[in-house]
């Protein structure tokens, strides 16, 4: 008890150097935790983005580029797949379902995706979960739109609102499709995937807003409120599900050798893994750096403690003279380093959470990583434990020296 | 009270002649002893042996009927905490504790001294305050930063720390060397007064022979070691 009080008062007395040490430890803890949290959340965000889809087909490009543009809305493809090829491929034997998607338009910086009703039935994310509605229903007419949860909350849209889609990506697009406002009929529940940031409109509407006549031609044949039959000349990509993996492999080969058009079929799970492995080197470098930072901060603590110890030999002699035993001085010094490390970790966690709060939005909107502002996981607690243990072990070095000083100096006061 | 018999001390076993060689030294309870020795005469060594920080290489050191060299390290540390108060040359306060806390520290490593202090006052702080007052440190200085006190005031605090909990033996190692002549005498008189109050034996060590007339008894360390 008296030792804890002495350690505390002694630390307080040397607060300038102690605070600096504490902050280097805090910053390194914050760095390590942030890197680890982003790494793990990025990984789960990535692998949760799409599931249950066997193949993604698009114009020939890189595997990863196709995945990024079709699933993550990052980058864009110049070419599409013609409607004819789409129809031909999806009519093959073994194809269970298909979802055509058409990208390239935007609304206030949010991606607009043209698709069919199959999207609502077959698109799956995370652990084969279907998209569910928070409010409303799927689109049923050509001028209806279904919003991702983030679009709705961020832009403050509710059911019944009319919105205007602009051509091309970005807020500052010159060409607004003013003539064709869309009515909000549904809002999805949050998914933690790019779906949250997407506006979903009927595929037939894509050509319409670009001045195509696809649906106008059919207008007289259909009921106005159930008019989704039009189709564009081409789609950006399409997703497919199969009855059996055997069909999938065969059709994949056929698509990749398809003569009329240069197409590419990728298996999203495989490509996601490739993408992640590409990032793994970055991830490992970051991890290495944060461990080095921790090492440096702990060495800094060791330096300060050892430098102080020489000046504190008098203090040790005084404590000896009032009856402190050598092991008590050992405890005193190691308690000081433990206390510094402990406070460093606490401050580090506080910094970590403030970074998360400040950075979560940015990561979500710029990197598509939904960072989880949750309690510390068991893994993160283990990391902190390792740092604490390292700090404690390093503190044993000056403590051991204090022990032997107190034996050799005895009561004679050095310095 | 204090009894040294055929005590020798060598820092290393290989040393040819011992640093300290005392055939016999007896100090009675309540005595105020002036132990004189120039530097190099083994003063610090003798004090370390009396305080139980070092043990004699041969011979017996008996304090309060306890033979120190027969106790183990821990027991000697406890013995020191319980029965001995020590005042150092100078700067002998912990800089991060207030004067009052420095005094209380004197009985914080010893249960028996704590109990003795508490048998005289309700709390350790009141006992420390009373001691500081008795040694002439006014209350406005009790909670100051130690560095703001003069050397003389610091020595009073150190003395109070040695006296708290009434240890039987007070060892003062050159406590006045940083003080001027006038302060020296008044400080020593304060020590006497306090030692009489608590009925403690005072062993005062110095190389300064001018202090000799103030004490009951004078022991010269050099001649002590020449006895055969």
């Amino acid at each position: 008890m008296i030792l804890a009080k002495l350690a505390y008062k002694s630390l307080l007395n040397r607060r300038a150097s102690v605070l600096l040490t504490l902050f280097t430890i805090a910053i390194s803890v914050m760095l390590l935790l942030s890197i680890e949290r982003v790494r793990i959340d990025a990984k789960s965000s990535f692998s949760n983005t799409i599931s249950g889809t066997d193949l993604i087909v698009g114009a020939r490009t890189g595997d990863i580029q196709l995945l990024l543009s079709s699933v993550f809305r990052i980058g864009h493809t110049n070419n599409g797949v013609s409607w004819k090829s789409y129809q031909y491929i999806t009519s093959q034997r073994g194809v269970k379902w298909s979802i055509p998607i058409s990208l390239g338009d935007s609304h206030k910086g949010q991606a607009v995706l043209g698709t069919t009703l199959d999207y609502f039935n077959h698109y799956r994310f995370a652990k084969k979960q279907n998209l569910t509605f928070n409010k409303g229903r799927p689109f049923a007419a050509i001028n209806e739109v279904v919003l991702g949860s983030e679009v709705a909350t961020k832009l403050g849209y509710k059911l019944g609102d009319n919105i205007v889609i602009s051509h091309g990506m970005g807020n500052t697009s010159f060409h607004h499709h003013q003539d064709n406002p869309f009515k909000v009929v549904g809002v999805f529940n949050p998914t933690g995937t790019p779906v949250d940031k997407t506006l979903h409109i009927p595929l037939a509407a894509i050509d319409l807003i670009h001045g195509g006549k696809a649906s106008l031609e059919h207008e007289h044949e259909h009921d106005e409120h159930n008019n989704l039959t039009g189709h564009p000349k081409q789609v950006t990509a399409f997703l497919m599900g199969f009855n059996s993996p055997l069909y999938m492999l065969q059709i994949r080969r056929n698509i990749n050798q398809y003569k009329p058009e240069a197409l590419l079929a990728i298996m999203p799970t495989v490509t996601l893994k490739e993408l992640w492995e590409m990032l793994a080197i970055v991830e490992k470098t970051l991890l290495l750096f944060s461990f080095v930072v921790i090492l440096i901060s702990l060495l800094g603590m060791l330096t300060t403690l050892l430098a102080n110890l020489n000046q504190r030999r008098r203090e040790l002699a005084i404590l000896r003279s009032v009856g402190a035993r050598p092991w008590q001085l050992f405890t005193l010094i190691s308690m000081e380093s433990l206390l510094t490390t402990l406070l460093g970790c606490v401050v580090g966690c506080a910094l970590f959470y403030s970074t998360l709060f400040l950075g979560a939005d940015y990561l979500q909107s710029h990197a598509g990583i939904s960072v989880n502002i949750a309690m510390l996981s068991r893994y993160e607690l283990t990391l902190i434990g390792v740092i604490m243990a390292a700090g404690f072990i390093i503190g044993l070095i000056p403590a051991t020296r204090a022990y032997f000083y107190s034996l050799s100096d005895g009561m004679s006061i050095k310095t | 009270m204090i009894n040294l018999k055929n005590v020798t001390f060598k820092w290393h076993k290989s040393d040819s002649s011992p640093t300290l060689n005392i055939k016999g030294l007896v100090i009675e309870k309540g005595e105020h002893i002036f132990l004189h020795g120039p530097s190099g005469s083994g003063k610090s060594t003798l004090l370390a042996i009396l305080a139980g920080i070092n043990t004699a290489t041969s011979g017996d050191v008996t304090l309060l009927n306890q033979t120190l060299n027969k106790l183990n390290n821990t027991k000697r540390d406890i013995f020191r905490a319980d029965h001995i108060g020590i005042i150092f040359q100078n700067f002998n306060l912990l800089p991060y504790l207030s004067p009052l806390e420095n005094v209380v520290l004197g009985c914080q490593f010893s249960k028996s001294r704590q109990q003795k202090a508490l048998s005289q006052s309700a709390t350790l702080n009141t006992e420390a305050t009373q001691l500081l007052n008795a040694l002439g440190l006014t209350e406005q200085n009790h909670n100051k930063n130690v560095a703001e006190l003069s050397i003389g005031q610091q020595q009073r605090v150190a003395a109070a720390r040695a006296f708290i909990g009434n240890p039987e033996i007070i060892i003062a190692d050159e406590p006045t060397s940083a003080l001027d002549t006038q302060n020296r005498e008044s400080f020593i008189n304060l020590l006497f007064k306090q030692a009489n109050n608590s009925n403690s034996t005072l062993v005062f060590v110095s190389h300064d022979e001018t202090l000799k007339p103030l004490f009951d008894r004078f022991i010269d360390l050099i001649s002590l070691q020449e006895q055969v």
Side-chain angles (χ1 to χ4, degrees), chain A residues 2-3 5-6 9-10 13 312 314-315 317-326 328 332 407 410-411 413, chain B residues 47-48 51 53 74 77-78 80-81 84 86 88 90-97 101 105-106 108-109 161:
Chain A
I2 172 69
L3 288 178
K5 187 186 158 196
L6 284 177
K9 293 244 176 179
S10 170
N13 184 49
R312 294 174 68 192
R314 188 208 326 270
E315 197 180 315
I318 293 169
L319 287 169
R320 277 291 269 158
S321 80
V322 294
R325 277 156 252 169
Q328 287 176 313
L332 174 73
L407 285 183
M411 275 191 341
I413 287 188
Chain B
L47 288 184
I53 280 180
T74 311
D77 284 330
I78 293 171
R80 175 173 63 256
I84 304 176
I86 296 166
F88 287 118
N90 53 4
F91 308 118
N92 76 57
L93 302 180
L94 293 189
Y96 48 81
L97 298 181
E101 288 169 321
L105 187 70
Q108 243 149 359
F109 287 92
R161 186 178 61 204

Side-chain angles (χ1 to χ4, degrees), chain B residues 167-188:
Chain B
E168 289 86 343
I169 299 165
I170 300 285
I171 295 176
D173 181 9
E174 305 264 16
T176 55
S177 63
L179 306 177
D180 56 43
T181 325
Q182 216 175 356
N183 274 319
R184 230 171 263 184
E185 289 197 10
S186 64
F187 180 71
I188 288 170

Side-chain angles (χ1 to χ4, degrees), chain A residues 223-267:
Chain A
D223 174 1
E224 205 183 331
H225 293 291
N226 192 20
N227 182 1
L228 294 172
T229 42
H231 62 79
K233 284 188 212 60
Q234 61 170 25
V235 294
T236 308
F238 56 94
L239 317 178
M240 285 200 284
F242 291 88
N243 290 322
S244 128
L246 284 176
Y247 289 118
M248 175 193 65
L249 290 173
Q250 192 191 346
I251 289 176
R252 181 177 181 226
R253 195 169 57 243
N254 290 345
I255 294 170
N256 288 339
Q257 292 165 355
Y258 186 65
K259 283 282 180 322
E261 223 177 324
L263 295 180
L264 172 72
I266 57 166
M267 292 185 279

Side-chain angles (χ1 to χ4, degrees), chain A residues 345-365:
Chain A
C345 286
V346 170
V347 175
C349 288
L351 284 176
F352 164 61
Y353 276 106
S354 27
T355 316
L356 273 194
F357 273 113
L358 293 174
D361 272 356
Y362 181 85
L363 276 176
Q364 176 68 262
S365 57

Side-chain angles (χ1 to χ4, degrees), chain B residues 53-225:
Chain B
I53 280 180
N54 295 115
T55 41
T57 314
S58 68
D60 281 343
V61 179
T62 311
L63 269 70
L64 306 164
N65 303 323
Q66 275 277 4
T67 309
L68 282 193
N69 43 302
K70 285 184 182 151
L71 298 176
N72 65 23
N73 290 340
T74 311
K75 287 206 172 125
R76 262 186 288 122
D77 284 330
I78 293 171
F79 182 86
R80 175 173 63 256
D82 286 348
H83 304 292
I84 304 176
I86 296 166
I87 308 167
F88 287 118
Q89 192 163 354
N90 53 4
F91 308 118
N92 76 57
L93 302 180
L94 293 189
Y96 48 81
L97 298 181
S98 72
L100 201 66
E101 288 169 321
N102 263 289
V103 176
V104 171
L105 187 70
C107 57
Q108 243 149 359
F109 287 92
S110 158
K111 277 228 172 76
S112 74
R113 274 174 78 178
Q114 226 173 81
Q115 279 161 3
K116 277 196 235 168
L118 287 174
S119 70
Q120 286 167 356
S121 303
T123 66
L124 295 178
N125 274 351
T126 7
E127 177 66 9
T129 312
Q130 275 171 16
L131 269 170
L132 284 173
N133 286 335
L135 284 160
L137 192 76
T138 49
E139 282 205 34
Q140 71 210 34
N141 292 318
H142 291 188
N143 290 305
K144 263 192 182 168
N145 191 335
V146 162
E148 288 172 44
L149 300 183
S150 69
I151 301 287
Q153 288 172 323
Q154 289 188 26
Q155 287 304 62
R156 285 156 203 241
V157 177
R161 186 178 61 204
F163 279 111
I164 196 168
N166 295 342
E168 289 86 343
I169 299 165
I170 300 285
I171 295 176
D173 181 9
E174 305 264 16
T176 55
S177 63
L179 306 177
D180 56 43
T181 325
Q182 216 175 356
N183 274 319
R184 230 171 263 184
E185 289 197 10
S186 64
F187 180 71
I188 288 170
N189 284 326
L190 278 174
L191 283 186
F192 287 166
K193 208 174 129 199
Q194 197 54 47
N196 287 334
N197 277 350
S198 55
N199 206 8
S200 310
T201 308
L202 176 68
V203 181
F204 187 100
V205 187
S206 179
H207 65 274
D208 182 4
E209 254 178 296
T210 57
L211 299 169
K212 183 176 156 185
L214 299 168
F215 288 83
D216 313 346
R217 196 172 144 204
F218 171 80
I219 297 173
D220 185 62
L221 198 52
I222 298 207
S223 48
L224 182 70
Q225 296 195 66

Side-chain angles (χ1 to χ4, degrees), chain A residues 28-82:
Chain A
S28 59
V29 166
M30 186 266 287
L31 220 75
L32 182 72
L33 287 181
S34 307
I35 287 172
E36 281 306 282
R37 178 67 66 96
V38 169
R39 187 176 70 96
I40 286 163
D41 284 351
K43 197 170 183 174
S44 74
S45 288
F46 261 68
S47 45
N48 278 344
T49 307
I50 190 162
S51 90
T53 295
D54 294 320
L55 283 184
I56 299 175
V57 184
R60 190 159 297 165
T61 167
D63 288 11
I64 289 171
Q65 206 186 343
L66 178 59
L67 181 80
L68 285 177
S69 63
S70 61
V71 176
F72 291 95
R73 329 265 190 260
I74 294 171
H76 56 87
T77 47
N78 294 323
N79 293 314
V81 183
S82 73

